[in-house]
Amino acid sequence: MSVENMTVTTIFDKSQEGRKGLNLPVLDVEAKTTLDSSLLRKEKAKLPQLSEFDVVRHFTNLSNKNMAIDKNFYPLGSCTMKYNPKIAERVAGLEGFSSIHPHVITNNMNEDVQGILETVDMLEKNLCEVTGMKKFTTTPQAGAHGEMLGIMMIDKYHRSKGNKRKYIIVPDSSHGTNPATATMVGYEVITIKSDANGGMDFDDYCAKMNEDVAAVMLTVPNTLGLYNPRIKQLCEVAHKYDALMYYDGANMNAIMGVARPGDIGFDVIHINVHKTFATPHGGGGPGSGPVGVSEKLMEFLPDLGIKKVNDIYEFTTGGKNSIGKISPFFGNYGISLRAITYMTTLGGNGMYNTSSKAVLNANYILNRLKDYFDVPFGNKCMHECVISAKTLAKGGVTAMDIAKYLLDFGMHAPTVYFPLIVKEAIMIEPTETENKQTLDLFCDTMIDAVNLAKKAPADFQHYPKTLGVCRPDDTMAIKNLNVRYEQ
Ligand SMILES: *Cc1c(COP(=O)(O)O)cnc(C)c1O
């Protein structure tokens, strides 16, 4: 079925003249308005008329059409769709946190928000502890926003020394936001190819490094789910030329409690707390991308921080070298609260166990599937694994076909066709919150798909069969989405 033909029963279709979900008392004062009659409606607004029960049932059914982490296995690589404990929602919803007016901050009424500032301080300190960085700001509102801040600070670092640099190095496996960020801040991107082990080619890296390179941006573990054993050396080479090391820590699920980017030699890091530290995300919902810096970049941190003076938290603005404001108030504070709740609930050992289990789960899947798919970079991985449907595709069944097949079995598809350097890539991130039965069900379904692909490849054109829409044109579905109701 094409998208153009897809019909949805809207709440307007269910409307019945005169049906109500609300009874108001009879009017006992004169009905009168001071508005000019030209401003008044001539006819009644066309609102749907339903009972409360009709409305509840309508929206409950609509919500059930969503794929969601609370309903389905969601192994979307690079996105860390893990279970988000409900205690984090409880805390973020507490009246004292959720009802405070943001302008309390700009009016410098800090005595009214000491508890809030304490949680900001706790999060900054916890993130420093987990990453080994000197100082964090929680103001960036997404991962990509954090990257932008990080590279702007690096830019200012070089300028403050009187030398504007030209290039930023990224590996060809990098997350797309890395070269995009470098370009937006005004740098040219030097791309280094991956070697046979999936790491950045070391010799080529050394050859391309020079005094015009401002920074090296690395996603760690990289998008192939691999940790580069030469990472310390990469930092040393960059630092010889005073190029700074940027750690894309959007996905900390493999290394929290295990290794610390600051100890390895990185100068700046952003963390997607909405991936690693418990926030339901996806569909463009709010995120938060705190940024941590080493000593070298402290003076460039953005406006709005806190410090404790005589046991009282005070607001601070950036110093004379601050890059200025990047976000109103303390960013998406509700996300910070969820993160601090999650971290405090787990504790240090809990974080270590979380990473260990995330890595174990990904390796379990890789090893159950390795004989059925192409495996581009060995039998071991970190928190996610990348396999490929290259051989299957020769018989007519592509990575996209496998992804569509899975939908009929109540699972979200893994990330496909990314990273770009793997043909027919399928990138699977199970996360630590899934049990063995779920992982086995997923692997069994993937293996069934491979067997079916060999026997009856043509069948794959018809999946998914159960979801109302089968194969919309992906581009048109985004660019020409028409959700307007015509009465
Ligand atoms: C998700 C992700 C980002 C971007 O984060 P947003 O919050 O979506 O802006 C950057 N890098 C990596 C490796 C990611 O997985």
Side-chain angles (χ1 to χ4, degrees):
M1 192 201 291
S2 74
V3 201
E4 298 86 77
N5 301 334
M6 195 183 124
T7 50
V8 173
T9 312
T10 68
I11 199 158
F12 290 95
D13 297 322
K14 293 176 183 167
S15 173
Q16 292 292 326
E17 185 69 35
R19 193 162 285 168
K20 282 194 280 191
L22 183 74
N23 283 311
L24 293 175
V26 182
L27 198 62
D28 59 359
V29 292
E30 190 192 345
K32 130 175 152 184
T33 172
T34 51
L35 285 178
D36 191 279
S37 66
S38 69
L39 299 173
L40 298 178
R41 286 183 187 282
K42 301 288 173 295
E43 47 191 89
K44 279 192 177 166
K46 284 184 188 149
L47 298 174
Q49 303 184 47
L50 299 96
S51 70
E52 180 173 322
F53 186 27
D54 293 335
V55 174
V56 168
R57 189 171 277 170
H58 177 75
F59 286 108
T60 304
N61 283 328
L62 266 188
S63 73
N64 277 331
K65 288 191 201 295
N66 280 331
M67 277 271 179
I69 186 63
D70 282 353
K71 277 178 61 194
N72 309 89
F73 182 46
Y74 212 128
L76 193 65
S78 204
C79 292
T80 315
M81 302 302 283
K82 60 162 89 176
Y83 175 67
N84 301 291
K86 297 299 166 251
I87 186 171
E89 295 303 311
R90 282 282 287 278
V91 171
L94 288 174
E95 179 84 11
F97 291 132
S98 61
S99 300
I100 198 87
H101 196 285
H103 278 296
V104 168
I105 286 170
T106 40
N107 292 335
N108 220 4
M109 290 151 67
N110 57 9
E111 69 271 25
D112 293 343
V113 286
Q114 285 295 305
I116 289 193
L117 299 185
E118 187 176 352
T119 60
V120 173
D121 190 39
M122 275 168 81
L123 180 57
E124 287 181 6
K125 293 217 168 88
N126 270 269
L127 290 171
C128 285
E129 178 70 27
V130 171
T131 59
M133 305 309 285
K134 270 264 152 5
K135 178 97 180 105
F136 257 87
T137 169
T138 60
T139 50
Q141 303 195 340
H145 196 199
E147 286 180 43
M148 178 105 176
L149 168 63
I151 297 302
M152 282 167 73
M153 287 193 287
I154 289 174
D155 185 58
K156 196 133 191 205
Y157 168 85
H158 290 300
R159 282 174 193 269
S160 74
K161 292 183 155 190
N163 49 16
K164 167 78 186 125
R165 297 193 170 195
K166 240 178 122 177
Y167 304 107
I168 286 184
I169 289 184
V170 300
D172 62 359
S173 65
S174 78
H175 192 266
T177 48
N178 300 171
T181 298
T183 308
M184 280 193 69
V185 185
Y187 287 93
E188 280 177 44
V189 172
I190 299 178
T191 308
I192 310 282
K193 282 212 176 342
S194 299
D195 62 20
N197 300 318
M200 185 158 72
D201 187 289
F202 189 72
D203 294 336
D204 194 28
Y205 169 70
C206 292
K208 300 265 166 66
M209 178 58 74
N210 63 54
E211 249 126 41
D212 270 334
V213 175
V216 181
M217 292 183 88
L218 292 180
T219 304
V220 188
N222 73 11
T223 61
L224 298 163
L226 303 172
Y227 186 84
N228 189 335
R230 299 181 90 166
I231 200 149
K232 253 190 146 136
Q233 269 175 291
L234 298 177
C235 294
E236 282 159 16
V237 171
H239 285 154
K240 262 193 219 142
Y241 296 86
D242 199 24
L244 299 194
M245 292 300 290
Y246 187 98
Y247 188 112
D248 180 337
N251 318 106
M252 286 287 285
N253 236 30
I255 77 147
M256 61 172 168
V258 181
R260 306 200 310 166
D263 300 339
I264 297 166
F266 283 89
D267 300 291
V268 55
I269 175 175
H270 86 265
I271 291 180
N272 282 22
V273 291
H274 53 282
K275 287 179 183 167
T276 309
F277 298 106
T279 294
H281 65 280
S288 174
V291 167
V293 295
S294 66
E295 195 74 49
K296 287 179 203 165
L297 291 174
M298 294 269 285
E299 61 186 294
F300 306 104
L301 279 166
D303 257 359
L304 200 58
I306 46 171
K307 70 166 190 257
K308 209 171 184 180
V309 183
N310 299 333
D311 253 9
I312 303 281
Y313 286 104
E314 292 183 355
F315 302 116
T316 58
T317 50
K320 71 175 186 348
N321 280 335
S322 161
I323 62 124
K325 239 186 180 31
I326 55 142
S327 157
F329 316 113
F330 281 104
N332 281 328
Y333 173 67
I335 311 299
S336 297
L337 269 175
R338 289 172 175 87
I340 192 64
T341 307
Y342 182 76
M343 294 172 106
T344 323
T345 310
L346 280 180
N349 284 340
M351 285 189 226
Y352 172 82
N353 289 337
T354 296
S355 297
S356 309
K357 199 171 164 216
V359 172
L360 178 66
N361 279 359
N363 277 283
Y364 182 75
I365 288 185
L366 177 59
N367 280 278
R368 275 213 60 195
L369 296 182
K370 71 181 192 305
D371 298 332
Y372 299 90
F373 289 87
D374 300 287
V375 175
F377 293 104
N379 291 344
K380 281 213 184 101
C381 63
M382 298 297 284
H383 63 295
E384 61 192 352
C385 62
V386 176
I387 58 176
S388 152
K390 198 171 75 181
T391 307
L392 286 181
K394 288 190 188 129
V397 176
T398 63
M400 183 60 87
D401 293 329
I402 303 278
K404 296 286 185 189
Y405 175 87
L406 285 172
L407 302 180
D408 265 349
F409 298 87
M411 299 175 198
H412 195 280
T415 298
V416 288
Y417 300 101
F418 182 80
L420 304 175
I421 54 173
V422 174
K423 280 212 174 85
E424 296 293 332
I426 302 176
M427 182 195 215
I428 306 161
E429 181 180 6
T431 82
E432 73 285 359
T433 54
E434 299 296 341
N435 59 35
K436 182 167 179 294
Q437 286 68 36
T438 305
L439 302 184
D440 278 331
L441 184 64
F442 170 72
C443 292
D444 292 342
T445 312
M446 288 288 277
I447 294 167
D448 286 348
V450 172
N451 292 333
L452 184 65
K454 288 179 180 155
K455 267 202 308 257
D459 279 12
F460 275 83
Q461 297 317 308
H462 308 295
Y463 288 103
K465 295 176 177 173
T466 61
L467 295 182
V469 182
C470 177
R471 296 282 179 116
D473 178 318
D474 284 343
T475 310
M476 293 296 274
I478 295 168
K479 305 249 178 206
N480 269 348
L481 181 67
N482 178 5
V483 288
R484 199 171 147 185
Y485 179 69
E486 311 274 357
Q487 257 173 343

